[in-house]
Amino acid sequence: MPISTGPFGRVAAAMVTPFDETGELDIEGARRLAVRLVDEGGCDALVLSGTTGESPTTSHEEKSALVRAVAAEVGGRARIVAGVGSSDTRHTAALARDAEACGADGLLVVTPYYSRPTQEAVVHHLRTVADATGLPVMLYDIPGRTGTALTTGSLLRLAAHPRIRGVKDCAYDLLKSSRVMAETGLAYYAGCDEFALPLRAIGGAGCVSTVANIAAPLVCGVLDAYDAGDRVLAARRHRALAPLTEAVMTGQPGTVAVKALLDARGLPAGPVRGPLLDADAGLTARLLALLARAEGEAEAETGAPDRAAADASAAVPEPAVGAGAAASYVGNL
């Protein structure tokens, strides 16, 4: 059993937003993908309209329709967290109210980007959004994209708000995360896949995973082993997943990579919207080989190795996961 489950679940998939071949919202595809991630993948939460969900290029109406459809399909079996962040406080609050009306269980609110407000202004923005509904709020700290980090002081102040309950942590600052977890009741979720296990080890509530779109059982398996007390197995699973994680999250936005993998597997995804560009055949083949290798290692662990998958991936070199990869990863979340 999990050590603890936070207010937004334990393993949340940062779900892609499926589009049809014309680039329009694929509601039926979203329903099918949500069912797969929850019922087959083991995710106990879905984050909609986040960065991986291409929120900058989906309309207010599309975001609401997506929440409504997914909540109706799996809302009784998983928490539905709606991304509502924008650079406009009024618009963010309106998105939050609509998400609540459409059946969301929680809100993901990123710090305002581009305008680079002061910390006082950021705190005011986030409190205003938290005041707009009765839903719990997960703050999204990702300075590599927004240009504005949440400081330790700001996080400590925001933790006093009764509806601000958690943080999606993409700040790459474990000292800050450790202090805030020690001094507040905020539930911390790793927003960078390679930090899911390290953050869990210091008290994190779980993760919001892009890789879970295509490999949810493997993502869950890392935390399952840790929570069962098998630290060696958890570390081994973490390391086995690392090459796929790095390939998905560096060199191109994670959305591009996971949509390519989902399409190649015949699962709902569709094209990305501009300014993003779809993956080419070479990238897709490399990603598929790494996915097959990760799945093959997981099957071998249970005593039922998939020899074809292992053979298909044998020639793929394992990329090193280090500081350089982490810096690139931040820009591709």
Side-chain angles (χ1 to χ4, degrees):
M1 294 295 291
I3 295 172
S4 63
T5 299
F8 307 97
R10 185 183 65 136
V11 176
M15 197 176 98
V16 301
T17 300
F19 300 129
D20 63 25
E21 60 184 12
T22 69
E24 295 302 311
L25 182 63
D26 179 5
I27 285 293
E28 180 55 34
R31 292 191 184 101
R32 289 193 291 119
L33 182 58
V35 168
R36 181 177 184 275
L37 291 171
V38 173
D39 294 347
E40 298 177 33
C43 296
D44 59 358
L46 300 176
V47 174
L48 308 178
S49 298
T51 307
T52 305
E54 298 179 76
S55 58
T57 57
T58 57
S59 69
H60 188 135
E61 292 74 23
E62 286 174 323
K63 289 179 174 65
S64 295
L66 185 64
V67 172
R68 189 180 301 111
V70 172
E73 196 69 35
V74 299
R77 305 191 298 282
R79 294 170 175 85
I80 308 303
V81 182
V84 298
S86 78
S87 288
D88 178 347
T89 303
R90 289 185 301 175
H91 186 213
T92 303
L95 283 169
R97 288 189 289 269
D98 283 355
E100 182 178 40
C102 291
D105 300 304
L107 304 172
L108 175 68
V109 188
V110 72
T111 55
Y113 41 85
Y114 188 74
S115 55
R116 301 187 72 172
T118 65
Q119 286 296 303
E120 189 62 35
V122 169
V123 169
H124 183 268
H125 170 89
L126 295 169
R127 283 175 173 166
T128 299
V129 177
D131 286 339
T133 79
L135 297 178
V137 169
M138 178 190 291
L139 306 175
Y140 191 1
D141 188 12
I142 181 168
R145 279 190 178 272
T146 64
T148 304
L150 278 167
T151 66
T152 301
S154 292
L155 286 162
L156 295 177
R157 293 172 63 194
L158 287 162
H161 193 290
R163 282 184 295 282
I164 295 177
R165 303 284 306 283
V167 178
K168 180 183 177 185
D169 185 10
C170 292
Y172 282 96
D173 187 345
L174 284 178
L175 287 175
K176 179 172 74 171
S177 305
S178 299
R179 180 178 169 191
V180 175
M181 282 190 284
E183 297 185 23
T184 75
L186 291 176
Y188 259 68
Y189 291 81
C192 307
D193 274 85
E194 79 272 32
F195 269 75
L197 180 58
L199 194 67
R200 186 67 163 170
I202 62 170
C207 62
V208 179
S209 169
T210 294
V211 175
N213 278 280
I214 195 64
L218 305 186
V219 174
C220 291
V222 175
L223 297 190
D224 287 345
Y226 181 85
D227 291 354
D230 195 335
R231 310 303 194 246
V232 173
L233 178 59
R236 185 164 68 243
R237 288 176 173 177
H238 169 86
R239 291 192 298 267
L241 192 56
L244 176 63
T245 296
E246 183 171 17
V248 166
M249 301 306 299
T250 62
Q252 73 291 309
T255 306
V256 172
V258 293
K259 277 199 164 185
L261 287 168
L262 288 166
D263 276 335
R265 289 283 178 92
L267 298 166
V272 295
R273 282 183 177 172
L276 300 182
L277 294 175
D278 292 315
D280 61 24
L283 173 60
T284 301
R286 179 170 176 267
L287 290 166
L288 281 168
L290 286 166
L291 176 59
R293 171 183 285 180
E295 291 173 334
E297 290 190 22
E299 289 168 359
E301 179 190 295
T302 67
D306 185 339
R307 183 55 53 200
D311 290 344
S313 62
V316 180
E318 291 194 12
V321 179
S328 180
Y329 186 93
V330 170
N332 289 321
L333 286 167

